[in-house]
Amino acid sequence: MKKDFTILGIESTCDETSAAVLKGGTELLSNVIYSQIDEHKKYHGVVPELASRAHAAKIAAVIESALGQTPIDCVAFASGPGLPGGLMVGRVAAETLAVYKQVPLIGVNHLEGHLFACEYEDGRACRPLEFPLVALVVSGGNTELLYVKNYGEYKELGRTRDDAAGEAFDKVAKLLGLPYPGGPQVSKQALLGRRDAIRFPRPLLPGTWDFSFSGIKTAVSYYLRDHQNISVPDVCASFETAVVETLVAKTLKAALKYKVHHIAVGGGVAGNTLLRQMMEQKGREAGLDVRFVDRKLSSDNAAMIALAAYKKLAHADETGQAPKWNINVNPNMKVRSWR
Ligand code: KG4
């Protein structure tokens, strides 16, 4: 396959239906995102059945809008982790198109997508990651810490044992009567509050790289039950600080332990200003280079899926190995090495 191949990426793992076209591994020709937020808002979280229906209703139009008449060499879709219904809609759309266009079909891990999204700058994938690095992928469905030796060479260090960090933000927002998605709302309120007003726990789980955020959420719910006349900004500021301090402490510790000089942070929660500030400051103090995904691509999008597919294709091209693209969807997919 030629090196400047053009890839159509498709993303439908959670509540965004997205399609993007990436040319030559750098030039993002389109990235269309349909967000289902309005469908899920009144339930304060993603309702899987509604998400599947919305993906099915929108995916053809989203693909048409992203693709137009552009010729493509490959179709890639996010095959997991994610909600089963959405994954299946993405696969059927991607496979139908690949068969029709007679081009290869590639399944891509959604979490790898969030990591590679860090390479985009002003709509171009032009800032290659520097390896080895420690990656934190932190979203509404996942909180994942990875050691990344190179493209396609991973060691999973830890993941959340219960709620993902974004999920904890969404649940705390619900407890406080703030709209969905809760992350940006909690952050906005936090700007008006005192970060040391309430001491919520920092679940550092010594001896493991895993995370656990349900305890902080429960501590917030007990605080709300036991106190009257609470200050919403103080609760938000104290909660946000507890989550962010935990994420930063574990990520930095992993970077130092694995002796890397680079950290990359992707996923919806990577849009959080306190996380960006604290990780950058603490990283600088420790002599580490910290790379955050561009805010415009922190939430789910297909540009990141197309780029992750490009890395796989380019590797297969370089090594001349016969590519075996796994296209089975897997809601609990782990990050696996392919190099
Ligand atoms: O990556 P994403 O779009 O979808 C998933 O794969 O989950 O992430 C969405 C999650 C939501 O839980 C949302 O509340 C959270 O990211 N989020 C934030 C912020 N912006 C989005 N959490 C904290 N602070 C933010 N600024």
Side-chain angles (χ1 to χ4, degrees):
M1 195 177 275
K2 58 189 191 314
K3 196 91 193 209
D4 65 344
F5 28 73
T6 301
I7 301 174
L8 169 71
I10 295 175
E11 158 64 40
S12 59
T13 60
C14 190
D15 61 342
E16 268 92 19
T17 317
S18 178
V21 179
L22 178 69
K23 188 174 175 198
T26 52
E27 210 183 325
L28 188 60
L29 303 182
S30 63
N31 185 32
V32 177
I33 304 171
Y34 169 74
S35 166
Q36 304 175 1
I37 284 177
D38 286 345
E39 267 109 316
H40 301 290
K41 226 175 195 159
K42 69 174 167 190
Y43 305 101
H44 290 271
V46 178
V47 182
E49 174 67 17
L50 293 182
S52 309
R53 287 170 186 272
H55 285 304
K58 297 289 178 188
I59 201 156
V62 166
I63 291 173
E64 188 183 23
S65 162
L67 188 56
Q69 299 301 315
T70 315
I72 48 170
D73 301 299
C74 167
V75 180
F77 74 105
S79 50
L83 298 172
L87 292 172
M88 247 117 47
V89 171
R91 172 178 166 164
V92 172
E95 192 167 9
T96 306
L97 209 59
V99 169
Y100 177 70
K101 300 260 182 196
Q102 299 198 344
V103 295
L105 176 65
I106 300 188
V108 165
N109 187 304
H110 172 81
L111 301 176
E112 276 188 273
H114 274 307
L115 166 61
F116 294 150
C118 294
E119 297 199 345
Y120 279 105
E121 193 173 67
D122 298 328
R124 280 176 62 78
C126 56
R127 282 211 306 154
L129 290 165
E130 291 176 74
F131 301 105
L133 60 83
V134 162
L136 174 69
V137 178
V138 67
S139 68
N142 304 281
T143 302
E144 188 92 12
L145 199 58
L146 299 167
Y147 169 75
V148 185
K149 196 169 168 205
N150 201 341
Y151 295 114
E153 278 188 84
Y154 311 108
K155 177 181 163 72
E156 185 189 74
L157 302 178
R159 50 169 42 207
T160 184
R161 293 183 176 180
D162 38 59
D163 291 349
E167 191 180 354
F169 270 94
D170 295 337
K171 288 178 174 170
V172 164
K174 185 177 178 185
L175 291 171
L176 292 167
L178 299 171
Y180 175 83
Q185 300 291 332
V186 168
S187 287
K188 206 164 134 194
Q189 290 290 326
L191 291 176
L192 310 168
R194 288 176 302 132
R195 299 206 172 272
D196 60 354
I198 310 149
R199 181 76 193 171
F200 292 126
R202 272 72 171 155
L204 292 171
L205 309 188
T208 158
W209 299 111
D210 282 350
F211 296 95
S212 166
F213 292 106
S214 74
I216 310 185
K217 173 202 68 191
T218 306
V220 173
S221 78
Y222 287 164
Y223 179 85
L224 298 178
R225 184 195 63 190
D226 297 341
H227 295 80
Q228 279 164 357
N229 303 323
I230 58 125
S231 153
V232 170
D234 280 355
V235 173
C236 289
S238 304
F239 163 77
E240 185 183 49
T241 306
V243 173
V244 167
E245 280 186 5
T246 306
L247 291 170
V248 171
K250 294 206 77 145
T251 307
L252 285 178
K253 201 169 169 195
L256 296 175
K257 162 91 182 148
Y258 283 86
K259 298 188 173 36
V260 303
H261 297 296
H262 307 280
I263 288 175
V265 188
V269 183
N272 182 281
T273 301
L274 183 68
L275 177 62
R276 294 174 94 96
Q277 288 170 346
M278 203 183 280
M279 191 79 88
E280 265 155 20
Q281 188 202 323
K282 300 270 180 199
R284 210 177 310 120
E285 285 166 13
L288 299 168
D289 156 63
V290 178
R291 167 97 58 102
F292 268 86
V293 62
D294 185 327
R295 272 203 168 91
K296 287 197 248 10
L297 292 178
S298 59
S299 283
D300 292 349
N301 64 83
M304 68 187 199
I305 301 304
L307 183 57
Y310 179 85
K311 302 293 182 195
K312 284 183 159 184
L313 272 169
H315 177 65
D317 207 44
E318 258 165 46
T319 56
Q321 79 180 26
K324 268 194 257 140
W325 314 123
N326 186 357
I327 56 164
N328 293 325
V329 305
N330 180 353
N332 302 312
M333 185 180 281
K334 299 229 166 135
V335 179
R336 294 260 183 259
S337 295
W338 42 262
R339 182 181 278 270

